[in-house]
Amino acid sequence: MLGVVGEELAESGKQQTRGEVAVRADDDEDRVFGHEVTVSPRPARIACMPAEIEDYALLSDCRTAALVSREGAIDWLCVPRFDSPSVFGALLGDDDQGSWQLRPDDEGAVAERHYDGDTFTLVTRWTTSSGVAEVHDVLPVADRAADGPERIDVVRRIVGVSGEVVFVHRLRMRFDYARALPWVRQAGTDDEPELIAIAGPDSLVIRGPRLTADDHVHTASVRIAAGEREDAVLTWHPSYRPAPAAIDVDDALARTNAWWAHWAERIDATGPHRDMIARSLLILRALTHRDTGGIIAAATTSLPEQFGGSRNWDYRYVWLRDAALTLQALVAHGFVRAAAHWRRWLLRAIAGDPAQMQIVYGIGGERDLQERELTSLPGYRGAAPVRIGNGAAEQYQADVIGEVLVALHAARDAGLGESEFSWPLEQALLAHVVARLDEPDEGIWEIRGEPRRFTHSRAMVWAAFDRGIRAVREYGFSGPVETWERLRDEVRADIDAHAVTDGGWFRQHDETDEVDASLLLLPTVGFCAADDPRMLATVDRIEQTLLTEGLVQRYRTAGAVDGLPGSENPFLACSLWLVQQYAATGRREDAAALLDRVCALANDVGLLSEEYDVTGRRQAGNTPQALSHLALVEAADAVRRAG
């Protein structure tokens, strides 16, 4: 492999500094343009595995996201969008897959961290034997008109607090999910050095301290005294365009903090869980693409539901269900404009024949989400395969339109005005429900086994008709309301006749007596009362069969309904649904205790993943998970209403 022409012979195996000479460095002894050169072998390097999932904090500019470990390593960054290929992928392997670590040179340094108020400026305070200093990590929110998606910046500012602290940058860049080593060269001046890395359509320019090549990593040492500060800024831009000018870091940080604070000041939350509610709403905003309005399910792909197992999925896309549920949480707290933005996204995404509607799309409404496996990323602590894309795009999930129409009706009740196409959109969705009324489906959990007639799905079909009927009866819209009323009543009668066991509880689907945590949602959409005897029996059965150390599993994987090997951990949203059920039926102490239990599982900066491993006492699955955070908001609201 031919190395890079430039002062640094970077990213090319064993490296030498040779001015303007490129070195081929695949072997310990080789030639440089006809001249003999000897390269001394290096000792084997021990790769660093990723941190625990709960050790990561989120950075977001509402276009993409980064995950920063407690040890100061950015181990996950995809540019320029949440669902773009990674340039730092150590989260799904080790630092060979790309990472940017910034921490004190003192191995005994102790870190404490927090967000700067209601923002995503991460402040990590390091206490060392020689002094105290902070690192402020930020993805600046770009000026939409000035910058748009043509650049993404990552700012890492070191601030001296007391004494002196030596920090070390260790930068390892790997483009396209670690499938492309970039060409790297030095640029800039002695006073303002720049490191430029290019591979295919992507380019990075790193400004700040001079980084020098050492094997496959670029390093720099920075000494910071009290009152001093040092900035390092990584900027992504399309490689076919010139590198953009350096940002004014002070202005970018002030503007970004003001942007987040302005958004957060509208949060209406009180009570003992105010901070978790606020942070959860902020996370939902952080997972919403600023330009398109698409709301992704999580910032990551392939973090395992079962450690070492194969239940690893790409969640960096827009599920209609998850996005609709997110909207309900946002609208309930006064963010009606978010509903208007997402409704426009929805109209663009499903434009055309409703029969072609998918349940998940790309951030911009893209339909091609072909699921495939990557070999360039070995997986989080060996949990393979790593997947990009998601095969759920090809599934039929009968509940989805119900969630969408419930969310849009809630937004209407909250004052969202109609657009030219908003009601025709809902009518088209209802026509799709009618066309597939009695089909079995893959359900809310996107099973990979045989389609079933899931009770939750059938109840959401009922909810879809119900919200259509209410739009006509309460708001005066036109539509075949008599037909919808007849079909709504037929669906209810079908559920009453076939979805209740001899023991009196709702069943997961009409071929089993097993329960499913999704049944906890039936009262929340109005299908039945929370104290309906069938719901109380269902809760009792869930407590008997799905609770693991007080947390709720989605269903029993031993029943083989999902068609996948292995098992999984309790699903955090399900536990929060049980909180709502407890609160609605007078079990206030149980509701408050379970809510406290789930809140205690959040990490030090308030992030929840998808699941929790009660044996290993650690978070599991993709993170931060929108469904977990929106369910927390709704659960906290339910507990507050219950007094």
Side-chain angles (χ1 to χ4, degrees):
M1 177 179 66
L2 188 63
V4 179
V5 176
E7 183 179 11
E8 300 296 336
L9 305 171
E11 307 301 333
S12 50
K14 308 172 187 68
Q15 298 152 29
Q16 295 282 315
T17 300
R18 278 286 191 274
E20 293 298 317
V21 179
V23 178
R24 182 188 299 274
D26 297 282
D27 304 309
D28 289 345
E29 186 172 281
D30 213 323
R31 295 178 179 271
V32 181
F33 295 165
H35 300 285
E36 294 287 346
V37 59
T38 301
V39 181
S40 300
R42 297 183 182 274
R45 187 185 67 83
I46 299 176
C48 296
M49 77 169 92
E52 298 287 351
I53 292 172
E54 61 268 24
D55 282 345
Y56 286 99
L58 177 75
L59 308 180
S60 173
D61 64 353
C62 297
R63 288 191 174 104
T64 189
L67 293 187
V68 188
S69 76
R70 195 185 302 273
E71 287 296 304
I74 299 179
D75 285 342
W76 186 249
L77 175 65
C78 300
V79 285
R81 301 198 322 183
F82 298 107
D83 58 350
S84 297
S86 63
V87 296
F88 298 136
L91 180 69
L92 298 177
D94 56 46
D95 53 359
D96 279 336
Q97 280 71 49
S99 178
W100 183 6
Q101 186 176 75
L102 174 59
R103 59 153 291 145
D105 198 27
D106 182 351
E107 289 296 323
V110 177
E112 294 180 316
R113 61 186 184 170
H114 64 275
Y115 286 119
D116 184 6
D118 289 334
T119 76
F120 281 92
T121 295
L122 181 67
V123 179
T124 304
R125 173 167 286 217
W126 291 94
T127 301
T128 74
S129 58
S130 61
V132 177
E134 293 178 344
V135 175
H136 297 191
D137 287 319
V138 187
L139 280 176
V141 175
D143 183 326
R144 191 193 305 259
D147 296 320
E150 292 297 299
R151 69 181 296 164
I152 297 291
D153 295 294
V154 181
V155 173
R156 312 201 76 178
R157 166 171 281 184
I158 308 173
V159 179
V161 177
S162 64
E164 280 192 341
V165 181
V166 176
F167 280 83
V168 175
H169 289 270
R170 292 181 59 84
L171 176 67
R172 187 179 293 265
M173 298 169 286
R174 294 292 181 270
F175 290 35
D176 192 23
Y177 300 114
R179 293 180 292 191
L181 289 170
W183 290 74
V184 181
R185 63 182 176 88
Q186 293 283 1
T189 65
D190 289 341
D191 292 333
E192 296 181 340
E194 296 179 351
L195 191 71
I196 296 176
I198 297 175
D202 301 302
S203 181
L204 299 178
V205 55
I206 299 91
R207 299 178 172 104
R210 177 173 289 277
L211 293 153
T212 58
D214 179 16
D215 200 5
H216 285 70
V217 63
H218 285 82
T219 62
S221 181
V222 178
R223 185 179 298 274
I224 292 290
E228 295 179 342
R229 67 187 187 193
E230 176 88 26
D231 295 329
V233 181
L234 178 150
T235 301
W236 170 90
H237 67 95
S239 61
Y240 49 84
R241 296 189 183 276
I247 62 172
D248 181 323
V249 175
D250 289 335
D251 176 71
L253 299 190
R255 176 163 38 85
T256 298
N257 284 349
W259 189 89
W260 282 111
H262 175 69
W263 191 88
E265 70 185 8
R266 292 174 286 169
I267 294 174
D268 177 19
T270 58
H273 299 101
R274 188 272 168 195
D275 289 346
M276 277 299 298
I277 294 172
R279 180 51 56 185
S280 292
L281 290 169
L282 281 160
I283 288 167
L284 297 180
R285 181 63 185 93
L287 298 177
T288 303
H289 197 272
R290 188 180 179 195
D291 301 321
T292 71
I295 305 171
I296 62 171
T300 56
T301 178
S302 301
L303 289 182
E305 297 173 7
Q306 179 189 28
F307 290 96
S310 61
R311 294 172 180 253
N312 315 317
W313 316 108
D314 193 348
Y315 279 6
R316 299 170 300 156
Y317 306 114
V318 185
W319 270 258
L320 299 188
R321 174 194 307 108
D322 295 46
L325 294 170
T326 296
L327 277 186
Q328 291 183 64
L330 290 172
V331 167
H333 285 265
F335 293 95
V336 178
R337 287 179 58 190
H341 198 192
W342 184 75
R343 190 174 65 184
R344 292 193 297 272
W345 176 93
L346 179 66
L347 183 64
R348 296 192 304 269
I350 68 173
D353 185 352
Q356 298 174 330
M357 189 191 77
Q358 298 180 181
I359 58 92
V360 57
Y361 293 86
I363 290 169
E366 297 87 354
R367 293 170 175 265
D368 184 5
L369 302 183
Q370 180 183 3
E371 185 176 298
R372 54 202 188 277
E373 298 178 2
L374 294 177
T375 58
S376 56
L377 297 173
Y380 179 82
R381 301 191 176 185
V386 168
R387 295 182 173 95
I388 56 175
N390 200 298
E394 300 176 2
Q395 289 188 348
Y396 172 55
Q397 298 172 17
D399 65 298
V400 166
I401 292 178
E403 273 106 4
V404 170
L405 294 183
V406 167
L408 292 178
H409 191 79
R412 184 180 294 121
D413 283 345
L416 177 64
E418 299 301 320
S419 71
E420 179 182 0
F421 299 106
S422 56
W423 177 240
L425 166 67
E426 295 184 45
Q427 287 181 294
L429 292 175
L430 280 166
H432 185 55
V433 175
V434 173
R436 308 189 71 166
L437 184 60
D438 293 317
E439 286 188 36
D441 72 309
E442 281 85 1
I444 186 174
W445 305 129
E446 302 178 348
I447 64 165
R448 301 288 172 116
E450 287 297 316
R452 310 279 185 171
R453 284 168 48 90
F454 289 102
T455 302
H456 170 262
S457 295
R458 301 291 291 159
M460 293 312 300
V461 168
W462 174 92
F465 288 127
D466 181 73
R467 296 318 188 265
I469 294 163
R470 290 169 62 180
V472 173
R473 298 299 190 198
E474 297 172 13
Y475 287 91
F477 296 139
S478 62
V481 66
E482 291 83 5
T483 298
W484 294 342
E485 287 174 332
R486 175 178 57 81
L487 293 175
R488 179 190 62 179
D489 294 344
E490 288 178 0
V491 171
R492 173 180 286 282
D494 178 63
I495 294 172
D496 291 344
H498 301 105
V500 182
T501 69
D502 292 341
W505 61 83
F506 288 110
R507 49 169 50 107
Q508 182 186 42
H509 59 82
D510 57 10
E511 299 176 41
T512 184
D513 282 351
E514 295 280 348
V515 288
D516 187 302
S518 64
L519 298 169
L520 294 167
L521 295 173
L522 270 57
T524 68
V525 297
F527 178 80
C528 64
D531 60 357
D532 185 305
R534 297 169 299 176
M535 274 306 305
L536 297 179
T538 302
V539 170
D540 183 62
R541 193 66 179 171
I542 287 173
E543 291 172 330
Q544 293 176 34
T545 62
L546 298 186
L547 282 186
T548 302
E549 294 197 20
L551 298 176
V552 183
Q553 293 180 302
R554 297 189 293 180
Y555 49 84
R556 291 205 296 186
T557 56
V561 68
D562 60 17
L564 295 168
S567 60
E568 61 179 28
N569 298 291
F571 199 82
L572 293 177
C574 296
S575 298
L576 293 161
W577 297 341
L578 184 57
V579 170
Q580 293 183 67
Q581 171 67 21
Y582 283 160
T585 53
R587 297 175 62 176
R588 292 189 296 272
E589 291 184 1
D590 291 335
L594 184 51
L595 178 59
D596 289 343
R597 170 115 166 83
V598 176
C599 286
L601 304 180
N603 71 1
D604 56 327
V605 289
L607 271 60
L608 289 169
S609 64
E610 182 181 20
E611 299 182 355
Y612 188 77
D613 174 9
V614 295
T615 301
R617 299 288 187 259
R618 54 184 175 174
Q619 293 187 11
N622 285 304
T623 193
Q625 180 83 358
L627 192 59
S628 298
H629 284 282
L630 70 90
L632 186 146
V633 172
E634 292 174 337
D637 288 345
V639 169
R640 185 178 59 200
R641 287 193 299 270

